Amino acid sequence: MSGEKPPVEHCKGVNGLDKVVLREVKGSSAEVYLYGGQVTSWKNDHGEELLFVSSKAIFKPPKPIRGGIPICFPQFSNNGPLEQHGFARNRFWSIDTDPPPFPTNSSNKAFVDLILKTSEEDLKIWPTGNPVNIHYEFRLRVTLGPGGDLMLISRIRNTNNDGKPFSFTFAYHTYFSVSDISEVRVEGLETLDYLDNLEEKQRFTEQGDAITFESEVDKIYLSTPTKIAILDHEKKRTFVLRKDGLPDAVVWNPWDKKAKAMADFGDDEYKHMLCVEAAAIEKPITLKPGEEWKGRLELSAVPSSYCSGQLDPQRVLQG
């Protein structure tokens, strides 16, 4: 068809930053910025945006981009000596011209391979106060599937030649777009233990049937299942998050006071977003030289089913 847009397009984004647009033949799309290796858009075949990016997001290095799917590496949050959420989200990634084979369906043409390698800047700050140099290769494949599903596969390798291991924590800091946070439920984390970041990381056990939202939430759920559902009652939409290699799950919404305190976040935008993040936090990942870790995240958006007037995620979670 003449005029049909390619499945992969390299172009310029906000402030002239390089980005890659992925398109699927039925109309879904995704955008990935080389700055941060960050997915900033994921639209369904109706053109509806499924990820939240703040209207006040700063697409200007060295500031991180508020929204989409920032990658937290080699440190989650402030759990260590580095800047919050590590430095991968503040680095310029490169197109990986020689990627290793990925277990991706070969019929998927809409994908991009990115790579981030140790920089001189990294060596100055990681690890803090330790003379041991850390060398790594971080390969990321972002794929838009035939049904509009979005998949991110990260492969991190220790390339030290001095025999030294290194450890890191990690998260896909996914910002989902929701119609009204008070009408959202998260299923799949019931009865699990979590660390509450609002209570000095004290450990608690989740009560109740589902997670709902009426105030600030910042929790790290431990030993979570490979599938989590986010139900948006008003939009009659369910996000399904599938993950491998990522035992933890972070649930975060800043609510009103914290939203007002963030310069790159609108005062009322907390009502229209929810972060549910596939992560490896409680037990840091340690790699010996030559070893590789892999973490996979797959996102899909499906119409919600109803049962007795309530959103019924069981079909999704068991499917």
Side-chain angles (χ1 to χ4, degrees):
M1 186 187 298
S2 62
E4 186 174 307
K5 292 185 177 178
V8 181
E9 181 183 2
H10 298 256
C11 52
K12 297 291 183 183
V14 179
N15 291 331
L17 294 171
D18 290 320
K19 71 176 181 180
V20 178
V21 181
L22 306 177
R23 296 187 184 90
E24 199 277 318
V25 68
K26 292 177 185 172
S28 57
S29 67
E31 294 186 0
V32 189
Y33 274 74
L34 269 59
Y35 177 60
Q38 186 161 334
V39 176
T40 56
S41 175
W42 172 39
K43 293 180 180 178
N44 63 18
D45 52 12
H46 300 297
E48 296 171 313
E49 182 57 67
L50 303 173
L51 297 178
F52 167 86
V53 175
S54 173
S55 62
K56 294 189 173 183
I58 302 166
F59 286 74
K60 196 169 184 182
K63 296 285 187 183
I65 301 168
R66 173 74 68 183
I69 310 180
I71 289 174
C72 304
F73 168 84
Q75 174 185 299
F76 174 77
S77 188
N78 55 3
N79 298 355
L82 296 174
E83 62 193 286
Q84 184 165 12
H85 292 313
F87 50 67
R89 64 182 188 154
N90 300 344
R91 294 283 188 269
F92 283 96
W93 295 54
S94 303
I95 299 292
D96 190 354
T97 55
D98 187 26
F102 278 81
T104 305
N105 187 331
S106 59
S107 66
N108 291 345
K109 294 185 174 59
F111 66 88
V112 63
D113 289 300
L114 302 180
I115 188 167
L116 183 68
K117 293 184 179 181
T118 308
S119 68
E120 288 300 316
E121 206 173 343
D122 300 343
L123 292 173
K124 290 175 187 171
I125 61 173
W126 184 45
T128 302
N130 190 331
V132 176
N133 284 344
I134 286 181
H135 292 272
Y136 67 88
E137 281 183 356
F138 187 150
R139 285 183 155 95
L140 171 67
R141 172 169 286 192
V142 181
T143 303
L144 188 65
D149 293 357
L150 185 67
M151 186 189 298
L152 288 80
I153 300 176
S154 290
R155 297 168 86 149
I156 298 170
R157 180 177 291 275
N158 180 338
T159 55
N160 281 339
N161 54 20
D162 59 5
K164 296 288 200 256
F166 65 75
S167 300
F168 62 91
T169 51
F170 181 95
Y172 290 114
H173 197 322
T174 310
Y175 287 74
F176 292 97
S177 174
V178 299
S179 52
D180 179 352
I181 188 63
S182 65
E183 297 286 333
V184 171
R185 296 159 41 137
V186 176
E187 299 276 353
L189 302 175
E190 306 82 66
T191 74
L192 296 181
D193 283 1
Y194 64 88
L195 307 178
D196 194 334
N197 287 320
L198 302 180
E199 297 286 349
E200 299 179 336
K201 297 187 176 67
Q202 286 187 69
R203 191 176 185 125
F204 299 95
T205 301
E206 186 60 56
Q207 308 295 324
D209 295 331
I211 300 167
T212 55
F213 301 91
E214 50 193 29
S215 60
E216 182 184 356
V217 175
D218 190 354
K219 298 176 179 178
I220 304 168
Y221 290 85
L222 310 174
S223 302
T224 59
T226 57
K227 195 182 292 188
I228 299 167
I230 302 155
L231 296 97
D232 188 334
H233 188 93
E234 200 167 299
K235 281 214 174 120
K236 299 181 173 60
R237 174 190 293 150
T238 297
F239 291 109
V240 184
L241 183 158
R242 296 176 178 86
K243 59 189 179 65
D244 291 312
L246 297 156
D248 305 321
V250 180
V251 177
W252 178 69
N253 183 291
W255 221 252
D256 53 350
K257 284 185 183 175
K258 198 157 280 184
K260 288 183 172 71
M262 293 190 287
D264 60 348
F265 195 93
D267 289 358
D268 291 322
E269 287 184 330
Y270 73 92
K271 297 174 183 176
H272 307 296
M273 56 72 63
L274 176 65
C275 285
V276 179
E277 312 167 31
I281 300 168
E282 186 194 23
K283 297 172 183 169
I285 295 148
T286 299
L287 296 178
K288 295 174 184 172
E291 286 186 336
E292 182 182 82
W293 168 85
K294 185 168 72 176
R296 183 181 73 94
L297 171 66
E298 186 173 352
L299 304 176
S300 53
V302 298
S304 298
S305 58
Y306 281 80
C307 178
S308 305
Q310 296 295 314
L311 285 166
D312 175 20
Q314 292 308 312
R315 185 172 62 85
V316 168
L317 287 172
Q318 292 164 7

